[in-house]
Amino acid sequence: MFSIKMRSSKGGPHEKGGRHISGIERIVNEDEVESEIINAYRRARMHERGDSDFINIKVEKVKESDIIYKNKLNIKQHHVESKEEGLALSSEILQSAGVSEKACEIAIQSILNLTESMHGAMLIDKDTGERLDERGMKGVRVTGISSADINDYRKALENNIDCGIHLEEALILASKVTSARGVTAELCWSDDPNYLIGYVAANDNYERIPIMKDKGNPIGGRVFLVDTDQFDEDYTLEDLIEYLEEQVVLIK
Ligand code: PML
Ligand code: MG
């Protein structure tokens, strides 16, 4: 199989201060590589967050023996009337997953306080609320993800409301992230200005919350709530980050 990764930004590359526009990864059979390269390019050029002027498309061969498979989380659809209700609900769900009230507040505020979107996620201690990664605005970028079979996967999702590319990709990412030893939960909402949906992923569930921000707001982000008690001499924060960034995980 081959991994096709795209990241795009405006105002130059991310590492030279460009603003993140979009990113995508697909792991596909060789016969699908060409069409995925075109999809990735189109997505970068026609994104509601803006007109990318830097597009990086990387194609890499993936060895079958490097792939592991995980199941997708169960989708639980919630209903809220406002972003205030949505944010409060996310905190409730995080706390019932074992995240402290303080860490919940810090996690939510960390996304609310962003002045621009990050390319990756913030790792925050689920008990103390302390930021654990030292990646600043770059954050930890999860890669090595795809559905195991895009047609089966899409079929399984088709009855959800607002079913589309956002749900498809976020569920794959959240299913990998929460499969990592040491990750208790993930909190996310979209940085696409007109996409207000977010979620909390924990305990095999993807709890989908329809309103997490105001319409038109181009800021969103991801926080992974980390249980540092899971770390020892043989499994450290660096190992967790390596799993998130490198391990190839296909979602069934
Ligand atoms: C993003 O792709 O910008 C994040 C989307 C989060 C919510 C996806 C959903 O459940 O619809
Ligand atoms: Mg986005």
Side-chain angles (χ1 to χ4, degrees):
M1 297 182 97
F2 284 80
S3 150
I4 296 115
K5 285 187 198 132
M6 180 281 287
R7 65 185 166 97
S8 71
S9 50
K10 189 175 169 73
H14 297 87
E15 57 277 19
K16 290 192 178 148
R19 182 166 65 85
H20 178 63
I21 297 292
S22 70
I24 192 180
E25 177 171 17
R26 284 277 156 76
I27 298 168
V28 297
N29 293 319
E30 185 158 21
D31 60 345
E32 296 164 282
V33 170
E34 286 186 15
S35 62
E36 283 303 331
I37 292 172
I38 294 168
N39 282 344
Y41 172 75
R42 289 195 180 142
R43 178 154 160 141
R45 288 291 300 152
M46 291 177 256
H47 200 276
E48 74 163 296
R49 286 177 52 74
D51 186 11
S52 312
D53 54 24
F54 173 86
I55 303 169
N56 178 308
I57 296 177
K58 185 154 95 179
V59 182
E60 286 170 295
K61 193 162 188 176
V62 178
K63 281 205 296 255
E64 203 62 44
S65 57
D66 289 340
I67 300 175
I68 62 174
Y69 291 84
K70 297 279 177 186
N71 290 325
K72 62 177 171 310
L73 301 172
N74 308 307
I75 301 173
K76 302 241 154 105
Q77 181 70 48
H78 291 273
H79 299 275
V80 295
E81 299 290 333
S82 64
K83 82 167 181 216
E84 288 74 20
E85 237 183 82
L87 293 169
L89 176 61
S90 71
S91 175
E92 235 173 76
I93 300 169
L94 285 169
Q95 287 180 58
S96 57
V99 178
S100 75
E101 191 179 344
K102 181 178 171 195
C104 284
E105 249 163 59
I106 293 176
I108 293 170
Q109 278 306 327
S110 304
I111 302 179
L112 290 176
N113 290 343
L114 290 172
T115 51
E116 57 182 298
S117 277
M118 293 170 59
H119 186 209
M122 297 176 261
L123 269 56
I124 286 181
D125 186 310
K126 76 157 184 78
D127 297 309
T128 65
E130 182 198 349
R131 175 96 185 252
L132 296 173
D133 65 285
E134 291 170 353
R135 298 289 185 81
M137 282 303 289
K138 185 167 176 276
V140 173
R141 178 84 184 159
V142 177
T143 74
I145 40 174
S146 203
S147 53
D149 180 308
I150 190 68
N151 295 320
D152 291 352
Y153 180 78
R154 286 198 173 134
K155 194 139 190 56
L157 297 192
E158 72 189 3
N159 292 328
N160 289 280
I161 58 167
D162 295 308
C163 179
I165 194 84
H166 289 88
L167 171 63
E168 218 173 80
E169 289 172 1
L171 181 64
I172 291 174
L173 186 142
S175 300
K176 174 181 179 184
V177 168
T178 52
S179 78
R181 174 171 157 199
V183 174
T184 300
E186 178 190 351
L187 169 70
C188 164
W189 65 89
S190 183
D191 55 2
D192 293 3
N194 295 313
Y195 202 80
L196 312 185
I197 305 177
Y199 63 87
V200 173
N203 297 325
D204 294 332
N205 293 322
Y206 178 94
E207 311 241 13
R208 204 168 180 225
I209 305 172
I211 314 174
M212 293 294 273
K213 66 176 189 183
D214 293 319
K215 209 170 169 67
N217 181 347
I219 309 286
R222 291 195 148 91
V223 173
F224 304 157
L225 283 307
V226 173
D227 180 3
T228 56
D229 290 346
Q230 302 281 324
F231 298 142
D232 56 28
E233 280 163 30
D234 298 325
Y235 186 75
T236 63
L237 175 67
E238 284 64 45
D239 295 320
L240 167 61
I241 291 176
E242 189 183 313
Y243 177 86
L244 295 169
E245 291 186 328
E246 316 269 348
Q247 175 66 52
V248 179
V249 179
L250 299 190
I251 304 300
K252 292 188 286 187

